[in-house]
Amino acid sequence: MARGIIYCMTTIVPGLVKIGKTGTDNFDQRMYGLKHNGYNNVTGLKRKFAIEVDEYDEKEALLHEIFSKSNVGNTELFAIDVDLVVQLLSSFDGKQIYPKTMTKEEVFNEATDERTANVNSVNKYTVPDGEYYLYENNRKYGTIQAKMKVMDNKFIVLKGSSCLPCDRKDMPILRKTATVKNNILQENVKCNSPSVAGWIVLGTNNNGWFRWKNADGCPLDIYRVDNNN
């Protein structure tokens, strides 16, 4: 019974996910290669979740079959919600390899929350594409300034934004894995809701619909109109 690692990765293309497998002793090397060299002319690959399981060849093949309608050009790339993939993988019986800072249950719950927020956002609320801002005066760290770009109802916290330090155990995985140096975000971080985007900056629970504002100083909440009515 072959044992190996099944992983999923996000890419530079929003909504495009790589689902692959590798040997138990080759994971870090495989991740390094994909991160720096890309895959099938797609770059910006970042690890999202990985689990070591028995019969990994068969399980990877099953995943590819499940998502076959979303397959891109007979590759290991799929136009699919990465949080759905994480939900499935974290349900497998096996040893979680990545992320190392969360349990499988925590990963599953966060992926579920992200999918719920994304569905609600897409189905009910449409925030106009553009740039939005978050300003906070913190007694210890001074003025916090952050910029977010909204594109196709995705909330992208932009590189160069201020980020408050955070060591909370319940922080979202996107905040845990974000590259922050000297309280400055070093890369764009794509989120499925403004509150998760707020976590990146504030390092704590928040209502992003009120914290993020447009150029006129109005909160995102003004766009929360139910399109079904």
Side-chain angles (χ1 to χ4, degrees):
M1 192 162 48
R3 189 170 181 82
I5 296 172
I6 301 177
Y7 61 84
C8 65
M9 305 179 78
T10 57
T11 70
I12 195 172
V13 182
L16 191 63
V17 179
K18 183 182 187 303
I19 303 173
K21 65 182 179 182
T22 188
T24 55
D25 298 326
N26 193 50
F27 178 67
D28 288 332
Q29 181 179 349
R30 181 62 172 155
M31 293 297 100
Y32 181 89
L34 290 170
K35 177 180 178 180
H36 290 85
N37 302 321
Y39 171 80
N40 203 50
N41 295 322
V42 176
T43 60
L45 276 75
K46 295 182 180 180
R47 67 184 76 181
K48 182 70 174 182
F49 186 81
I51 186 168
E52 183 180 335
V53 295
D54 291 327
E55 300 179 334
Y56 75 119
D57 289 316
E58 292 82 356
K59 287 184 172 66
E60 185 213 32
L62 176 61
L63 286 169
H64 285 188
E65 181 179 352
I66 290 173
F67 298 127
S68 60
K69 291 184 178 180
S70 302
N71 186 234
V72 178
N74 198 31
T75 67
E76 293 182 349
L77 297 171
F78 300 83
I80 192 73
D81 185 344
V82 68
D83 291 305
L84 175 59
V85 181
V86 171
Q87 281 182 304
L88 288 175
L89 287 178
S90 59
S91 299
F92 285 0
D93 184 17
K95 177 184 178 183
Q96 180 174 306
I97 303 300
Y98 185 87
K100 297 180 180 180
T101 56
M102 301 175 70
T103 66
K104 282 200 297 180
E105 182 180 5
E106 289 173 333
V107 170
F108 178 86
N109 289 338
E110 181 173 278
T112 301
D113 291 343
E114 284 286 335
R115 286 197 67 218
T116 300
N118 188 40
V119 169
N120 288 340
S121 179
V122 171
N123 288 344
K124 291 187 177 182
Y125 313 121
T126 300
V127 177
D129 289 354
E131 292 187 345
Y132 298 85
Y133 309 90
L134 191 157
Y135 296 97
E136 293 280 338
N137 289 317
N138 184 277
R139 292 182 180 180
K140 184 175 181 179
Y141 296 98
T143 302
I144 303 302
Q145 302 183 51
K147 183 184 293 186
M148 177 179 71
K149 182 178 181 180
V150 174
M151 184 170 60
D152 296 329
N153 245 33
K154 295 294 183 181
F155 304 85
I156 307 167
V157 184
L158 298 181
K159 175 182 177 181
S161 295
S162 304
C163 294
L164 289 172
C166 179
D167 58 1
R168 291 182 51 162
K169 294 182 179 180
D170 62 343
M171 75 176 82
I173 190 170
L174 286 176
R175 181 62 174 88
K176 288 185 178 181
T177 58
T179 302
V180 179
K181 295 182 180 179
N182 298 320
N183 297 336
I184 300 297
L185 187 64
Q186 302 297 304
E187 59 187 354
N188 294 346
V189 178
K190 183 177 68 176
C191 307
N192 285 331
S193 73
S195 294
V196 174
W199 254 107
I200 304 298
V201 177
L202 301 173
T204 189
N205 293 318
N206 66 97
N207 188 334
W209 291 99
F210 291 93
R211 294 298 185 94
W212 292 100
K213 299 179 180 179
N214 63 20
D216 295 325
C218 299
L220 293 187
D221 190 60
I222 65 173
Y223 305 115
R224 286 211 282 184
V225 178
D226 195 332
N227 294 328
N228 294 321
N229 291 333

